[in-house]
Amino acid sequence: MATKAVPAQPARRLEGYIYNTWYLAGWRSDLDTKLSSVRILDESIVVFRTEGGQWVALEDLCPHKLAPLSLGDRIGDCLRCRYHGLKFAGDGRCVEIPGQSVVSAAVRVRTYPIVEKHGGIWIWMGASERSDESEVPDIIGEGDSGWRLHSASIDVNGSAQLLWDNLLDLSHIPFVHFNTLVAGDQAAAAAVLAGEVNKDSIVHDRGITVERWHSHQRRPAQVGDDRPLDEHIVTDFFAPGVLAIRFQTYDAGICDKYPSGEIPDEKRLLSSFACQVVTPVTETTCKIFYNVGSWDKSPPDPTLGVANDKAIVEDKQIIEAQQGAMRANPGRKPMMLSMDQNVVRFKAIMRRLTAQEADFAAVAD
Ligand code: FES
Ligand SMILES: [Fe+2]
């Protein structure tokens, strides 16, 4: 009986996104023990770990009668479909059809390159032959030695592209996060705004690095007393939607004491890191994987994770409201102001990257 070969590429590509890149499917601790169904760029993928410890990502669709494979069971290094029991190996080949002695090589499912790094499981959504493990985003995650991190994720009923805008313009902090990240302190909120206005931006091939100070912040529990703090913050935001933030915290006034900008290491009270990795789920929904933590030698800071969890929910709420308002007003276009400089720059980067991908695809065809 004739069977169709499995297409290597999706039938429909989401506009504005790149495919030849790694997307975070989940933190390892979320995916470790089970057969998980994840959705990335509107494609359903079943992720599991073989008995031998290899990660596998297959299209979550049995080629027989199109039942989701994620409903099935892992049998050793294979996955058995729950409906009629077809068994698939990690390379996508069907290795057993109950009641049938011959298995055609055409009975197979699409596989995706998958890799574990920085405590996360990353899936390459484009052409397999172009996948390159060295291109996994350079974040700090669970398992990277020296860091104590709190990791979590949240579903957002809004597009990944709205999240990009949010993460590229932190001037929303004094408003959206007034009661969390700036602890309800008007002077601290004003200082954050001043830092965001006076930031230095460097545009790279795939993203933007921004450096700024947030002075006179008040986070009483952060270092065990209520001294005001100055924070030096470097953010890297890069395709396909990863924000990595490195914080160095000092007693307030440190810049006046060291006008050269070369501050001795021993003056630092805390080194911390946070990241937000945005994975597009569908055209209008996404998932944020995030973590936050401090360098081992810094004093323990239990407030970091709590404040971060609350702040992420605040972002989710404003993005979901924004997505709803945009849906209700389809003819209206957002306005770009000076605070949106990096938003505009990043959109140009993404236009270039998506156009380059279209060129590669045209050559491959
Ligand atoms: S649908 Fe999977 S075995 Fe029939
Ligand atoms: Fe935010």
Side-chain angles (χ1 to χ4, degrees), residues 217-245:
Q217 301 300 297
R218 288 193 174 275
R219 292 181 203 158
Q222 190 170 36
V223 287
D225 62 37
D226 62 356
R227 282 175 295 174
L229 305 168
D230 284 357
E231 283 190 318
H232 184 249
I233 302 173
V234 178
T235 54
D236 278 303
F237 186 83
F238 52 92
V242 179
L243 178 73
I245 317 175

Side-chain angles (χ1 to χ4, degrees), residues 62-67 69 81-86 88:
C62 180
H64 178 218
K65 290 289 196 298
L66 310 186
L69 288 173
C81 178
R82 167 146 299 200
Y83 200 175
H84 311 93
L86 266 67
F88 297 92

Side-chain angles (χ1 to χ4, degrees), residues 81-143:
C81 178
R82 167 146 299 200
Y83 200 175
H84 311 93
L86 266 67
K87 196 164 139 190
F88 297 92
D91 62 3
R93 277 179 310 119
C94 179
V95 293
E96 183 185 325
I97 300 178
Q100 184 175 321
S101 54
V102 178
V103 179
S104 159
V107 185
R108 54 180 304 124
V109 286
R110 180 183 171 195
T111 61
Y112 296 78
I114 182 168
V115 65
E116 175 179 338
K117 208 164 180 184
H118 304 306
I121 309 303
W122 306 81
I123 292 180
W124 181 272
M125 294 299 291
S128 303
E129 64 276 14
R130 293 188 57 80
S131 70
D132 179 349
E133 289 186 20
S134 71
E135 291 179 16
V136 171
D138 184 20
I139 61 165
I140 295 168
E142 277 176 58

Side-chain angles (χ1 to χ4, degrees), residues 279-296:
T279 296
V281 175
T282 66
E283 202 157 16
T284 55
T285 61
C286 67
K287 198 163 181 116
I288 311 174
F289 296 96
Y290 63 95
N291 70 25
V292 66
S294 48
W295 175 243
D296 232 1

Side-chain angles (χ1 to χ4, degrees), residues 262-285:
E262 290 183 17
I263 305 170
D265 281 353
E266 60 271 22
K267 296 291 174 192
R268 186 169 52 231
L269 302 173
L270 187 72
S271 282
S272 41
F273 173 83
C275 77
Q276 294 189 33
V277 183
V278 183
T279 296
V281 175
T282 66
E283 202 157 16
T284 55
T285 61

